[in-house]
Amino acid sequence: MEDPLSRRALITGITGQDGSYLAEHLLELGYEVWGLVRGQANPHVSRLRKHIGDVQITTGDLLDQGSLISAVERVRPDEVYNLGAISYVPMSWQQAELTAEVTGMGVLRMLEAIRVVSGISPSRTPGDGQIRFYQASSSEMFGMVRETPQNEKTPFHPRSPYGVAKSYGHYITQNYRESYGMFAVSGILFNHESPRRGAEFVTRKVSLGAARIKLGLATELRLGNLDARRDWGYAGDYARAMRMMLAQDSPEDYVIGTGQTQSVRELVEFAFRTAGLDWQDHVVLDAKYTRPAEVDLLCADPKKAREQLGWEPEVTFEGLVTMMVESDLRLLSGSARPEDEPFSPDHW
């Protein structure tokens, strides 16, 4: 690949947690970074720029094929990172059709935009300077897992409309790679969190809950299934892996995770301990927070990423939870700036 100093990247979902960390990372490498948003008046753009700095914006919508073609024509990127999605799993049951259109069909529309702008067809394959495409796949595709830990060859059995939509996006990316010779890869990322995570996600809900109770702003935290186990890592580490995948000589899919799991109960216990609290005095189980179809255990086997990409996570689970609780204590105590609020969950 060319030196990063001469490269231009287009990121969908740039106002979300992952988009912000990826933009930050690419800018540090000298990239020219563009973000795709649905309108210039998007209130989260100004917050993004306060966090990240020199990001350029173009308009487009994963529901609108024509707008994506126009965006790719305007930006002429070397790399496209498709992070845009309706990414909150419980919401996918409430808005199943929209989730399918954005999280699933949106991937097809972006691939088509790249294909059309690049002039790729069954009779005309891309050259060396083609646009490289990254699709944000998800461990939720494994769902009712067939084996543990999960690797690139583990079969999918998604247990939510979100997981089903992500599976479609994963397979259509693979299909365009095999049908048109496009440099298109999927990163099957396991749960990755940070202080920028939306408040509706369980990790941020727990860190905010512990901080509120510590500061006397609440007395209890209501949660659902405490026995579900996840492979949790730091979003900034996972953003590095995205770029590494597009820097390879050939396109391949990779599982990204820590290879370790903790239960929601362990998450809660450590977060409350970090805040100087006993979680059993404050946590209340509430059935309304239980999924219609639960995913009990997700654990990554990141061997391929470790051996081929040289990627390793740098932040431990304990370091991540500590980072999030301390950040929320600062935020709620008034010592943080207004722009330190988390990024928008609605980032497609």
Side-chain angles (χ1 to χ4, degrees):
M1 291 180 66
E2 301 172 32
D3 190 291
L5 290 172
S6 65
R7 299 191 70 77
R8 182 180 301 139
L10 174 63
I11 303 172
T12 74
I14 196 168
T15 61
Q17 169 193 252
D18 291 7
S20 71
Y21 280 108
L22 177 61
E24 211 166 46
H25 178 58
L26 294 179
L27 286 169
E28 288 173 355
L29 293 176
Y31 276 66
E32 179 183 324
V33 177
W34 286 74
L36 183 86
V37 300
R38 280 179 290 163
Q40 292 285 0
N42 188 319
H44 302 289
V45 171
S46 59
R47 180 174 297 161
L48 174 75
R49 283 186 165 138
K50 287 177 182 177
H51 268 282
I52 309 304
D54 191 19
V55 173
Q56 301 190 63
I57 299 297
T58 189
T59 56
D61 192 330
L62 291 174
L63 296 174
D64 180 1
Q65 182 71 76
S67 73
L68 298 181
I69 293 173
S70 296
V72 174
E73 285 181 330
R74 178 188 178 195
V75 176
R76 293 288 172 176
D78 299 289
E79 299 169 7
V80 172
Y81 295 85
N82 186 47
L83 312 185
I86 294 178
S87 56
Y88 183 47
V89 176
M91 186 184 295
S92 72
W93 277 282
Q94 301 167 16
Q95 297 182 304
E97 183 178 355
L98 183 60
T99 298
E101 284 289 344
V102 176
T103 307
M105 290 296 293
V107 186
L108 172 62
R109 295 186 187 103
M110 182 53 77
L111 285 165
E112 269 294 283
I114 294 170
R115 187 189 68 78
V116 169
V117 172
S118 302
I120 299 169
S121 68
S123 60
R124 185 180 182 277
T125 57
D128 293 336
Q130 66 169 301
I131 299 172
R132 298 188 170 205
F133 176 79
Y134 171 86
Q135 165 58 16
S137 289
S138 168
S139 60
E140 288 285 335
M141 300 185 305
F142 295 120
M144 185 181 290
V145 297
R146 310 286 182 87
E147 61 186 13
T148 298
Q150 295 90 50
N151 60 36
E152 292 80 6
K153 296 181 180 179
T154 301
F156 298 153
H157 187 148
R159 297 268 282 170
S160 66
Y162 169 80
V164 172
K166 279 291 186 181
S167 299
Y168 175 84
H170 181 87
Y171 282 128
I172 199 65
T173 299
Q174 183 182 83
N175 184 260
Y176 269 58
R177 178 171 70 220
E178 296 174 354
S179 299
Y180 296 111
M182 294 172 64
F183 195 109
V185 307
S186 289
I188 307 174
L189 272 55
F190 281 63
N191 295 64
H192 45 287
E193 318 297 327
S194 76
R196 300 178 188 176
R197 188 53 125 169
E200 72 278 14
F201 291 87
V202 68
T203 47
R204 188 78 200 294
K205 184 177 180 180
V206 168
S207 65
L208 275 170
R212 286 193 180 105
I213 293 169
K214 178 66 174 180
L215 296 172
L217 302 175
T219 58
E220 67 177 27
L221 173 63
R222 305 185 78 86
L223 295 171
N225 181 12
L226 299 185
D227 296 320
R229 301 187 68 87
R230 293 291 185 272
D231 184 330
W232 277 301
Y234 172 54
D237 286 339
Y238 290 48
R240 289 189 292 108
M242 298 175 193
R243 191 263 163 181
M244 288 178 172
M245 292 181 211
L246 293 194
Q248 301 306 298
D249 292 333
S250 58
E252 295 187 40
D253 302 329
Y254 295 88
V255 161
I256 303 296
T258 70
Q260 301 177 5
T261 67
Q262 289 82 24
S263 67
V264 177
R265 181 177 281 102
E266 290 172 297
L267 164 68
V268 171
E269 183 178 3
F270 190 81
F272 275 71
R273 189 189 315 148
T274 300
L277 301 167
D278 184 341
W279 71 275
Q280 296 184 72
D281 295 335
H282 304 284
V283 173
V284 177
L285 298 183
D286 190 331
K288 78 176 183 180
Y289 295 113
T290 302
R291 294 184 183 185
E294 185 58 82
V295 175
D296 295 319
L297 173 62
L298 293 175
C299 180
D301 176 3
K303 180 180 179 181
K304 181 180 176 181
R306 184 170 59 248
E307 294 181 349
Q308 294 189 15
L309 302 180
W311 178 85
E312 292 278 0
E314 296 177 355
V315 178
T316 64
F317 172 76
E318 293 78 10
L320 170 64
V321 177
T322 300
M323 177 197 308
M324 294 179 69
V325 171
E326 291 180 347
S327 174
D328 282 330
L329 284 168
R330 289 193 302 271
L331 182 69
L332 296 176
S333 66
S335 60
R337 299 168 298 171
E339 60 265 27
D340 289 329
E341 283 281 4
F343 286 83
S344 166
D346 175 22
H347 55 261
W348 53 276

